Amino acid sequence: MSKLLIRGGTIVTMTGPARAPLTTDLAVEDGLIKALFPVGDALPRWQPDETIDATGLLVLPGFSNTHSHAAMTILRGMADDFPLKEWLEAKIWPAETRLSREDVYWGALLGLAEMIRSGITSLADMYFYAEEVARAVEEAGVRALLARGLFSRAWEASLNEGLDLHQRWQGRGNGRISVALAPHAPYTCSPPHLKEVRQLAGQLGVPIHIHLAETRREVEESRKNHGLTPVEFLERLGLFEVPVLAAHCVHLSPSDVELIARRQVQVSHNPVSNAKLGSGIAPLPALLHSGARVALGTDGAASSNRLDMFGTMRQAGFLQKAANEDPTFPDAYQLLRLATQGGSQLFPGSGQITPGANADLILIDPDRPHLTPSWDVYSSLVYSTQPQDVRTVIIGGRTVMKDWELLTIDEAAVIREVRKRAAGLASHEVQAPLRDR
Ligand SMILES: [Zn+2]
């Protein structure tokens, strides 16, 4: 029975419509928010084991990063400025064949350190050697929906590892860890394999995590090969009969948008990765207006370079404002909702500050030049805040970063280890000068 009191913070609850935050005390018990009550009052017969003074700090729900490959931090900056197909086939997949289990473990720990510093308290991740990612997640103390990426070219092996991950890790870490099945994409998994995944997901009661409609080329090839868009193709195979987390969803027809909304597909919008790889701009206004579930994701550090939810919120907003020549949509509060509540279907009980919710909380220090003055808290949080302003992070009632110090990860050791391992990988890579690419 661990009891934590967060005293005197300015609470941004993210419940209901945008409203001015209130300064209150916040009681946490057994990983859940117990009560919000006037500053300095006491709860009857309730004594905290630990008190955090949040006077002058903003307290808000932690962010959900709904599409990541945490271990890819080890490939950060290895192959910039390529289109997706070339980036994957000529750069990333060959580099990944050289990654060891230990590389994945250390890369994942580095990714989790970076995410915690950016206020991310839960992530949906897909990768190989996923049990190493799970090991890192358990140690770091974050909440996660993990999966082994599945490919038809190595179906038996990848599927067995994916099912093994489910058997060994589902519900571990006091229930913080859950496991999905993750066919990589409609173009890397055959129709019989996709149907098999749908059946297994239904039997196990787990969601499917998949890349979907990421590039124009993917849509063109799907139309050529199947006479259907990638979204229609998955509908035809029955995938949407189970819960699906679909990353990217950049190139959608109006009927794709309608189908995604009707089938309650959870969209993970990855604006930084999509922009950097030149994939395009997802139709966020159409998705939101249709009532689709939309959350934000960073994708891996090899394609977005930083696992930064503040940068992701800004990019999501600015791309739409520029592309549609409409500065009004989405507004700061809508963007903050995508980052907090957008993923609450994947992480039930996270994304808002209300009694009974998960105590996944971040404390932000607004005592900074770039956060001064603050006319509107949502404007400050979305348009001006950066990861370095996140001071303390609590996940499931446990403090994982206190006053900028990571408590569950030996950050210096992780940085040292990843540098060493990346240098080992780089010695195999023939680096072409930029002009020859
Ligand atoms: Zn991805």
Side-chain angles (χ1 to χ4, degrees):
M1 295 280 273
S2 81
K3 295 174 185 167
L4 170 67
L5 175 65
I6 300 173
R7 173 158 286 163
T10 301
I11 314 286
V12 179
T13 62
M14 298 311 293
T15 54
R19 60 171 82 105
L22 288 175
T23 298
T24 71
D25 282 357
L26 205 164
V28 170
E29 186 170 317
D30 288 339
L32 303 177
I33 293 165
K34 182 180 171 68
L36 291 90
F37 54 99
V39 177
D41 277 12
L43 282 185
R45 295 178 298 284
W46 193 85
Q47 277 294 322
D49 305 311
E50 185 192 351
T51 299
I52 292 177
D53 183 8
T55 307
L57 305 182
L58 294 166
V59 181
L60 61 151
F63 300 132
S64 291
N65 182 1
T66 55
H67 181 66
S68 74
H69 314 283
M72 288 183 94
T73 53
I74 201 163
L75 304 178
R76 188 195 324 262
M78 191 210 74
D80 292 324
D81 311 326
F82 289 95
L84 178 73
K85 186 174 159 64
E86 197 181 345
W87 177 80
L88 271 177
E89 292 175 1
K91 292 285 169 181
I92 296 302
W93 286 341
E96 284 181 336
T97 62
R98 297 198 301 272
L99 292 184
S100 67
R101 304 183 75 87
E102 289 293 292
D103 290 336
V104 168
Y105 168 75
W106 288 100
L109 265 187
L110 182 71
L112 297 176
E114 187 179 357
M115 287 192 217
I116 291 169
R117 288 198 172 281
S118 167
I120 292 165
T121 53
S122 52
L123 67 147
D125 200 89
M126 176 200 301
Y127 215 53
F128 58 94
Y129 295 145
E131 67 276 25
E132 299 298 325
V133 182
R135 201 153 67 89
V137 158
E138 187 175 47
E139 284 175 31
V142 297
R143 200 177 295 283
L145 175 64
L146 301 176
R148 202 290 186 205
L150 310 175
F151 295 83
S152 274
R153 66 177 184 234
W155 190 251
E156 290 295 319
S158 58
L159 183 61
N160 284 339
E161 286 174 30
L163 294 173
D164 198 46
L165 185 79
H166 176 264
Q167 196 169 27
R168 293 171 62 170
W169 287 91
Q170 178 74 16
R172 291 256 301 257
N174 287 332
R176 282 183 293 102
I177 297 175
S178 53
V179 175
L181 291 176
H184 169 263
Y187 59 91
T188 48
C189 297
S190 69
H193 287 159
L194 288 167
K195 281 187 184 169
E196 186 180 355
V197 168
R198 181 210 58 196
Q199 197 173 15
L200 286 167
Q203 282 168 10
L204 296 171
V206 302
I208 290 174
H209 185 178
I210 189 167
H211 295 91
L212 184 62
E214 183 171 1
T215 61
R216 191 176 300 282
R217 185 186 183 120
E218 178 187 339
V219 177
E220 283 166 1
E221 290 190 351
S222 177
R223 283 191 188 279
K224 198 175 77 192
N225 296 336
H226 311 295
L228 299 167
T229 67
V231 174
E232 291 165 348
F233 179 55
L234 293 193
E235 166 75 356
R236 162 86 61 91
L237 294 175
L239 252 75
F240 299 145
E241 285 160 24
V242 295
V244 170
L245 165 60
H248 304 302
C249 297
V250 176
H251 295 278
L252 303 176
S253 68
S255 65
D256 286 342
V257 170
E258 189 273 328
L259 189 56
I260 281 173
R262 184 160 48 83
R263 287 301 212 162
Q264 301 193 309
V265 173
Q266 171 74 58
V267 174
S268 177
H269 175 43
N270 292 240
V272 177
S273 171
N274 297 154
K276 181 160 180 275
L277 287 167
S279 299
I281 301 174
L284 188 62
L287 284 165
L288 291 178
H289 288 136
S290 73
R293 291 176 176 159
V294 184
L296 298 180
T298 61
D299 211 351
S303 64
S304 63
N305 295 59
R306 288 179 59 182
L307 310 177
D308 167 8
M309 200 44 77
F310 295 99
T312 302
M313 280 193 285
R314 276 197 288 282
Q315 180 87 341
F318 292 169
L319 280 178
Q320 298 301 331
K321 291 168 195 282
N324 305 319
E325 297 182 38
D326 177 6
T328 67
F329 189 88
D331 65 26
Y333 188 68
Q334 286 169 317
L335 291 164
L336 196 61
R337 277 183 69 100
L338 294 182
T340 52
Q341 289 192 358
S344 60
Q345 288 298 123
L346 304 169
F347 306 105
S350 293
Q352 56 182 336
I353 300 181
T354 187
N358 293 332
D360 295 358
L361 304 164
I362 62 179
L363 277 56
I364 290 175
D365 192 337
D367 212 2
R368 303 296 180 108
H370 58 272
L371 297 179
T372 307
S374 179
W375 296 94
D376 175 87
V377 69
Y378 302 108
S379 161
S380 288
L381 286 169
V382 174
Y383 298 132
S384 303
T385 304
Q386 51 191 22
Q388 294 89 321
D389 306 325
V390 178
R391 181 175 175 141
T392 292
V393 175
I394 295 153
I395 304 175
R398 178 187 183 197
T399 307
V400 298
M401 182 168 81
K402 178 96 184 277
D403 298 333
W404 294 286
E405 188 195 344
L406 295 176
L407 302 180
T408 54
I409 298 174
D410 183 345
E411 192 174 43
V414 173
I415 288 172
R416 213 166 39 235
E417 189 67 31
V418 173
R419 275 196 187 132
K420 193 178 78 189
R421 289 172 178 276
L425 290 169
S427 66
H428 293 275
E429 174 88 348
V430 180
Q431 293 284 358
L434 263 178
R435 63 180 178 279
D436 294 340
R437 279 179 182 169

